[in-house]
Amino acid sequence: MLIRKAKVADVPGICKLIEKYAKTGELLIRTHASICEDLLSFYVAVEDDEVIGVGSLYIYDESLSEIRSLAVSEGHMGKGVGKKISQKIVEDAEQLGIGRMISLTYQIEFFSKLGFQVIEKETIPQKVRKDCLGCPKFFACDETAMVINLN
Ligand SMILES: CC(C)(COP(=O)(O)OP(=O)(O)OC[C@H]1O[C@@H](n2cnc3c(N)ncnc32)[C@H](O)[C@@H]1OP(=O)(O)O)[C@@H](O)C(=O)NCCC(=O)NCCS
């Protein structure tokens, strides 16, 4: 298994993986076009030429970033793939000098193990403005906001 920056040839595999978890409400859907647009921010885990894991870095401003579109295919869960992709994304944000990274998630234990802590969503208005206002679950959001301070 190899973790590396995404290439254009990975886009269909990335789409497929994200779509699978978007259907169950665990991830926000990403279109083919939006993945291409943000491809430089994506990491993939690849095994036998197949995309088995994905994750991306989104930057709001110099003080705030987000780990997005993190997913590992069902057959490869529990082997450290999600952790390794997340660590790459955290490292990139640190190297860029960004102050904090957030995640909005159902995977509290996974992110706790990476050093993230639970916070109130009200403390991240940038995220609420970007994604939450147009979300059908806005008044009944059951995801947990988590943050890690970088550097
Ligand atoms: C969350 C997800 C990315 C984790 O990927 P993974 O490769 O299975 O996780 P890892 O094997 O790297 O796990 C790292 C650690 O977290 C723990 N962990 C992972 N998923 C967990 C879960 N659902 N509940 C409790 N602990 C979990 C592991 O046991 C491991 O602990 P350890 O370091 O003490 O051994 C994967 O389950 C997934 O794709 N889920 C569906 C999409 C999703 O929810 N993405 C997150 C959106 S914010």
Side-chain angles (χ1 to χ4, degrees), residues 132-147:
C132 304
L133 289 180
C135 177
K137 287 205 235 163
F138 181 64
F139 290 108
C141 177
D142 53 356
E143 288 189 304
T144 298
M146 301 186 75
V147 70

Side-chain angles (χ1 to χ4, degrees), residues 59 61-65 90 93-102 147-151:
I59 301 171
D61 55 37
E62 62 271 36
S63 66
L64 190 67
S65 62
V90 166
E94 277 180 335
Q95 277 169 16
L96 288 166
I98 302 167
R100 296 186 301 163
M101 178 175 289
I102 57 164
V147 70
I148 185 168
N149 291 317
L150 305 176
N151 298 305

Side-chain angles (χ1 to χ4, degrees), residues 45-108:
V46 179
E47 196 169 272
D48 298 331
D49 290 332
E50 188 198 344
V51 175
I52 58 151
V54 63
S56 77
L57 170 68
Y58 180 80
I59 301 171
Y60 289 91
D61 55 37
E62 62 271 36
S63 66
L64 190 67
S65 62
E66 181 178 0
I67 181 166
R68 306 187 77 180
S69 306
L70 178 69
V72 175
S73 69
E74 250 167 23
H76 295 85
M77 281 180 180
K79 297 177 183 167
V81 177
K83 183 177 177 175
K84 286 187 190 125
I85 294 174
S86 304
Q87 285 169 338
K88 288 274 186 201
I89 292 168
V90 166
E91 272 168 35
D92 276 3
E94 277 180 335
Q95 277 169 16
L96 288 166
I98 302 167
R100 296 186 301 163
M101 178 175 289
I102 57 164
S103 167
L104 241 81
T105 189
Y106 297 108
Q107 302 287 347
I108 300 171

